[in-house]
Amino acid sequence: MNTLDRESWLADLRQRVPELLPAEALRKQAQGALLIDVREDNERATGSPVGALPLSRGFLELRIESQEPNRDRELLTLCGSGVRSLFAAEALQRMGYRNVASVAGGFERWKREGLPISAMQLDMDSAERYARQLRLPQVGEAGQHKLGQANVVLLGAGGLGAPAALYLAAAGVGQLTLIDDDRVERSNLHRQVIHADARVGMAKTESARMTLNALNPRVKVELRNERLRADNVEQLLRGHDLVVDGADNFPARYLLAAATRRMNMPMVYGAVERFTGQVGVFDPRRHDSPCYRCLFPEPPDAADAPNCAEAGVLGVLPGIVGLLQATEALKLILGIGEPLVGRLLSFDALGMRFRETRLPRDPACPGCGSTAQFRGYEDIERFCSAG
């Protein structure tokens, strides 16, 4: 389209779409009109009119009805300079909205005239990095800010911790604390995708930090190169919002279960063996939530629950289960959806089937039942050793 045709087209559009000066748009907004900022997420990183609905032009027709079903409400569209908002207003007219106008001069003029602006909490890098996630109404800028403020501790930087840490970092969780006292072995690499062949012999926590920092340098990664024990469990968990359980032994899990319950902290449980896996959420903040010992009141015999080194595991299986754990962690941070509380999700890779089992709270549970008694973490260690 040449310049002459474009100007003619815009002139014709202005005949059909009313334009308002920013000050008039602000007055109408105060009277109940909905101001819609149709710029892209990265453009809004520099600020947006106070109270404006962020709804990018490319998603306007898809989402406006869920945001504002009333076709009679006055809608005001705003872009950067006042051109895209004309097209947005025309699209709304075609959808049956009867009272639509465009803000002349767009955000640039709004800003020049000193009208109220809400500065976004996200900078340009974050707006671009998390752009697809920010488009989700359940996340948006407020949700991304929640993620950025969250502190998640991962017990284990191995099969389950590797995929969970990668996707939590990619999503923008502010701080990840990795607890693991192991070193990278070549036999880890077929499933622990956070590590690399050149890092064999390196501490798993340090290897994981290198990968996470390369993926998202904005995320703070804290390392704890030690084994979870009775004398350090609360110290290691303190100050975090939730824990992702990637342990490979029952003593660590029982300690974790007791500590998260006492510290009122959600525990995202995951386990794998051969071709099967399990995921669940134990959230002591909820009165209806079971705890880990509602599922396993007593540690099973070692022969009945071999670890990966003894029983083997399909390499992709920890990835699937770890990603499900990351999903549950993100839901808990954002406060969205229905977490796996009171439900155990099992996965069978050979049959490619998921099965959900109800897991109600057990009134006689030795961990959370009415008669349960906590005799100290050392007692739990002895109990697991005896089992």
Side-chain angles (χ1 to χ4, degrees), residues 78-387:
L78 174 140
C79 65
S81 62
V83 175
R84 271 176 296 169
S85 57
L86 286 169
F87 295 105
E90 183 196 37
L92 292 171
Q93 287 177 339
R94 283 190 273 105
M95 292 182 69
Y97 288 91
R98 290 176 275 274
N99 194 359
V100 185
S102 171
V103 179
F107 184 65
E108 290 304 318
R109 183 163 181 174
W110 184 286
K111 195 163 52 173
R112 282 200 309 272
E113 294 183 5
L115 301 181
I117 293 171
S118 173
M120 286 188 70
Q121 297 167 334
L122 304 179
D123 57 25
M124 291 291 287
D125 178 87
S126 294
E128 182 177 1
R129 181 181 298 273
Y130 309 120
R132 301 299 181 268
Q133 193 163 274
L134 288 164
R135 292 187 190 280
L136 298 172
Q138 298 88 341
V139 181
E141 183 186 345
Q144 195 62 53
H145 182 68
K146 285 183 182 178
L147 293 174
Q149 295 298 305
N151 293 330
V152 175
V153 57
L154 296 100
L155 179 57
L160 297 176
L166 281 167
Y167 274 87
L168 292 175
V173 171
Q175 177 175 314
L176 299 176
T177 300
L178 308 178
I179 304 173
D180 201 313
D181 68 339
D182 209 354
R183 293 187 173 273
V184 179
E185 299 177 6
R186 193 157 279 111
S187 61
N188 301 148
L189 301 180
H190 91 298
R191 67 194 184 281
Q192 300 179 19
V193 294
I194 205 166
H195 307 303
D197 188 76
R199 300 182 203 153
V200 170
M202 182 183 292
K204 282 187 177 179
T205 51
E206 183 58 38
S207 171
R209 175 162 61 181
M210 292 170 66
T211 302
L212 296 174
N213 284 343
L215 174 66
N216 189 350
R218 304 178 68 89
V219 174
K220 183 180 180 182
V221 182
E222 293 288 327
L223 309 184
R224 302 290 183 266
N225 297 309
E226 50 190 307
R227 180 171 288 272
L228 193 82
R229 303 182 309 273
D231 61 358
N232 68 2
V233 56
E234 287 200 4
Q235 177 189 346
L236 290 173
L237 300 187
R238 190 171 293 117
H240 296 88
D241 301 305
L242 61 91
V243 58
V244 174
D245 164 32
D248 62 357
N249 64 86
F250 279 97
R253 283 217 174 96
Y254 277 83
L255 285 172
L256 199 63
T260 52
R261 179 150 191 84
R262 289 175 59 79
M263 300 173 75
N264 210 35
M265 179 187 299
M267 169 181 168
V268 183
Y269 158 71
V272 294
E273 180 190 342
R274 297 186 175 97
F275 300 98
T276 61
Q278 293 181 333
V279 185
V281 174
F282 306 114
D283 190 348
R285 301 173 303 177
R286 289 179 47 165
H287 68 88
D288 61 336
S289 175
C291 76
Y292 179 71
R293 293 189 70 177
C294 292
L295 177 62
F296 293 110
E298 310 287 334
D301 291 336
D304 297 329
N307 60 30
C308 291
E310 297 163 339
V313 64
L314 186 67
V316 297
L317 186 65
I320 295 167
V321 173
L323 291 185
L324 292 172
Q325 288 182 279
T327 303
E328 290 301 299
L330 292 174
K331 285 162 54 183
L332 288 168
I333 295 167
L334 293 168
I336 61 174
E338 185 181 349
L340 281 171
V341 174
R343 299 179 293 146
L344 185 68
L345 187 66
S346 300
F347 174 62
D348 172 13
L350 291 181
M352 195 50 72
R353 295 187 184 92
F354 284 92
R355 185 180 75 254
E356 183 181 298
T357 307
R358 282 192 67 246
L359 182 62
R361 186 168 180 176
D362 180 3
C365 171
C368 67
S370 57
T371 60
Q373 294 183 355
F374 177 73
R375 297 187 176 89
Y377 296 113
E378 291 80 4
D379 185 68
I380 292 173
E381 281 190 334
R382 286 192 296 269
F383 161 73
C384 290
S385 300

